[in-house]
Amino acid sequence: MVEISRRTFAVTATGVGRKDYSQNVEYSVEPLTRSWEETYQYYNDAISLPTGTTMIDITLVPQTVIFIYDYVLSVPKNVLLNLRVTALTTAGVEVNILRRDGYQRVEYHMAKGYPFFNTIRVRMTNYSADTVNAILSLVGIVSGEHEYYLSLSEAHEPMTV
Amino acid sequence: MATSTEEVFEERTLNFRETVLASQGVAVTQQFIFAGRITQVMFHFPPGTNGLVQLRLYKNQEPFYPQKGFIALDDATPVYYVESDYYKNEPLTFEVQNTDGINPHTVSCSVTIKFKAPRWW
């Protein structure tokens, strides 16, 4: 088991392969890591809701997609509330996502979540004559914008003739 | 009084693992001090070689496996069972030709030799 000689020589290239794992490859053949996800939560417990509608804009980090699946608006009084959530695009177009009513608490769970890109606009309506303190909680998952579009393209079913 | 003697056979593996740069070849020679039989030859191609890295094993400067041409695979570890005599200090040469024009690759070859161990071994 003794090395007794070593010879190096040149060869003619016939093609191009891929990096193998001995070369400290930082990415695999699947270029994007999609298994790791970070939880997103917007939690505001200091919202004062006078009679009428109060609007809040939540600006998101550029090039991220937040999938919001839990929407909760809660107040300590038994008053009628309305929670309306819209997605505001960069072009200023507002898209309706959720509109729910409830006494003292409005809660909605969206199984797959809705992807928000730019800004989340929340309108909270207090139908009572009293000003109430409210808690707003939005829970979701952070993803990358590129990963989101990639998952959309993969979900597309091929055409069958 | 008759005594029975048991022959003890040992196995040793000659390992070759070479990182070859793009458009380069390398031939490495090893030898083993005891005579015996080559029982197994294994090659390893990592994912990414794309059939561009050619391997061949020589025994005493003659092609041993494969006997004609080279073997060039991707993401494979073929094992070949052979029964071939190995003489004491016979040179075994592992030749790699990386015809990938851009990427270096690390490939391996493993040769298993079965031999009769002397008492002092």
Side-chain angles (χ1 to χ4, degrees):
Chain A
M1 297 179 289
V2 175
E3 182 178 317
I4 57 175
S5 73
R6 174 179 292 266
R7 180 173 60 93
T8 307
F9 49 93
V11 299
T12 305
T14 59
V16 176
R18 291 170 280 117
K19 285 185 182 181
D20 65 45
Y21 293 91
S22 65
Q23 299 306 308
N24 193 26
V25 177
E26 293 178 0
Y27 54 88
S28 67
V29 290
E30 188 172 333
L32 295 173
T33 305
R34 285 171 284 173
S35 60
W36 176 85
E37 289 173 331
E38 182 183 342
T39 302
Y40 169 88
Q41 182 171 25
Y42 175 83
Y43 185 82
N44 190 342
D45 60 358
I47 302 174
S48 176
L49 288 186
T51 303
T53 301
T54 304
M55 189 176 79
I56 291 178
D57 278 348
I58 304 167
T59 305
L60 303 179
V61 175
Q63 293 186 335
T64 60
V65 177
I66 313 290
F67 290 87
I68 305 290
Y69 51 81
D70 269 338
Y71 307 79
V72 178
L73 174 65
S74 181
V75 298
K77 283 187 178 178
N78 190 22
V79 296
L80 182 62
L81 302 168
N82 177 275
L83 175 66
R84 184 184 168 202
V85 179
T86 58
L88 194 64
T89 66
T90 50
V93 177
E94 205 168 339
V95 179
N96 286 319
I97 306 302
L98 174 72
R99 192 165 195 161
R100 292 256 155 181
D101 304 301
Y103 275 92
Q104 193 168 355
R105 184 179 176 90
V106 178
E107 189 174 356
Y108 185 71
H109 175 76
M110 202 176 278
K112 292 185 179 179
Y114 182 84
F116 291 89
F117 286 79
N118 181 47
T119 303
I120 306 172
R121 177 163 285 174
V122 181
R123 291 186 179 85
M124 297 160 284
T125 306
N126 175 9
Y127 291 101
S128 73
D130 303 322
T131 299
V132 292
N133 294 322
I135 294 176
L136 175 67
S137 173
L138 304 175
V139 180
I141 288 176
V142 182
S143 181
E145 195 172 279
H146 189 63
E147 294 165 334
Y148 172 70
Y149 286 121
L150 188 66
S151 65
L152 283 183
S153 66
E154 285 183 348
H156 174 71
E157 300 249 342
M159 273 177 56
T160 54
V161 178
Chain B
M1 185 165 73
T3 56
S4 62
T5 55
E6 195 174 309
E7 287 195 285
V8 177
F9 289 94
E10 296 272 346
E11 277 189 346
R12 280 296 178 269
T13 304
L14 270 66
N15 285 316
F16 300 87
R17 178 180 161 88
E18 297 297 325
T19 298
V20 185
L21 300 177
S23 301
Q24 272 213 1
V26 68
V28 181
T29 303
Q30 291 190 29
Q31 63 186 29
F32 185 56
I33 61 170
F34 294 121
R37 289 181 79 80
I38 297 175
T39 57
Q40 180 177 297
V41 175
M42 182 193 80
F43 296 104
H44 172 70
F45 298 84
T49 48
N50 275 16
L52 298 170
V53 181
Q54 301 174 346
L55 308 185
R56 185 191 250 181
L57 182 67
Y58 295 81
K59 188 163 81 81
N60 202 19
Q61 296 166 356
E62 295 289 327
F64 181 68
Y65 201 97
Q67 292 195 337
K68 286 186 180 178
F70 292 81
I71 182 169
L73 304 175
D74 181 270
D75 190 14
T77 309
V79 177
Y80 303 103
Y81 298 100
V82 298
E83 285 289 329
S84 176
D85 291 332
Y86 177 78
Y87 300 105
K88 172 185 173 180
N89 290 329
E90 195 171 6
L92 287 170
T93 303
F94 177 51
E95 182 178 333
V96 183
Q97 294 186 10
N98 184 8
T99 64
D100 185 333
I102 291 179
N103 302 297
H105 291 291
T106 302
V107 289
S108 303
C109 174
S110 172
V111 181
T112 303
I113 300 174
K114 189 176 178 180
F115 64 102
K116 186 178 173 185
R119 287 183 185 176
W120 55 266
W121 178 258

